[in-house]
Amino acid sequence: MEILLYIAITVLTFSFMELVTWFTHKYIMHGFLWYLHEDHHQPKYPHVFEKNDAFFIIFAIPSIALFYFGAVPKLNFMFFIGLGIFFYGIAYFLIHDVLIHQRFKWFKNIKNKYLIGLRKAHKVHHKHLDKEDGECFGMLWVPKKFHKQFKA
Ligand SMILES: [Zn+2]
Ligand SMILES: [Zn+2]
Ligand SMILES: [Zn+2]
């Protein structure tokens, strides 16, 4: 039965990361670490890497630590918290960096209503080129109106 608990921890961590991301994006990236996020709000990114990518490293550190302490001396719940963060990082990258910003041309013809809604919401976020007055700071959960605007 332990396996069910571990799956639950992973799923809960994944969901909780959406909250953490929203909070980090709104109050930290658009706050005192704006200098790292600013280039991401410019219409054209001149480089392969953005300063904004630093946030992947920032979130990878607790995840790696949790993998370590969750596996040593023996497997425990911390490993699955690390796994939830890791899966969220992958989902975030695939949706935000690939699907929305097309850093890789992988999914060009998405017709899924939910995914199109996410893209629409994030484009609204990017209408603001500056630090203040942002909206739509979440990534995988956005207000329903964005999904409704589109017919699949
Ligand atoms: Zn932003
Ligand atoms: Zn973006
Ligand atoms: Zn913004």
Side-chain angles (χ1 to χ4, degrees):
M1 278 300 100
E2 228 172 12
I3 183 81
L4 288 180
L5 180 68
Y6 288 156
I7 292 171
I9 291 171
T10 306
V11 171
L12 275 173
T13 304
F14 184 94
S15 318
F16 184 68
M17 281 306 290
E18 174 67 8
L19 220 76
V20 172
T21 300
W22 179 87
F23 183 88
T24 307
H25 190 187
K26 189 172 166 89
Y27 295 106
I28 296 176
M29 295 160 94
H30 283 251
F32 77 102
L33 288 181
W34 172 246
Y35 71 99
L36 289 176
H37 186 54
E38 188 175 11
D39 65 344
H40 184 66
H41 273 273
Q42 302 311 307
K44 290 261 174 260
Y45 319 134
H47 308 295
V48 180
F49 292 104
E50 308 167 16
K51 279 192 223 137
N52 192 50
D53 295 333
F55 289 100
F56 280 112
I57 298 164
I58 292 172
F59 280 111
I61 293 166
S63 181
I64 291 166
L66 284 156
F67 279 137
Y68 179 78
F69 291 109
V72 176
K74 70 190 232 338
L75 193 68
N76 64 73
F77 74 96
M78 282 190 272
F79 185 87
F80 298 92
I81 298 178
L83 203 60
I85 298 175
F86 176 70
F87 285 153
Y88 187 86
I90 292 174
Y92 187 95
F93 179 78
L94 290 176
I95 293 200
H96 176 258
D97 293 86
V98 182
L99 175 74
I100 297 174
H101 291 301
Q102 295 284 307
R103 288 174 79 176
F104 298 93
K105 314 282 173 217
W106 292 342
F107 337 105
K108 289 197 74 88
N109 301 308
I110 289 289
K111 300 223 162 52
N112 182 285
K113 232 175 155 177
Y114 167 74
L115 294 174
I116 290 170
L118 294 184
R119 179 158 65 195
K120 175 75 190 154
H122 194 67
K123 295 285 178 193
V124 168
H125 176 71
H126 274 280
K127 281 216 174 100
H128 303 275
L129 300 183
D130 51 344
K131 182 176 165 186
E132 282 87 26
D133 312 317
E135 51 185 321
C136 296
F137 290 97
M139 183 49 54
L140 303 183
W141 189 90
V142 301
K144 237 184 162 163
K145 63 174 181 185
F146 292 106
H147 301 300
K148 280 195 178 144
Q149 281 175 5
F150 288 86
K151 294 178 180 73

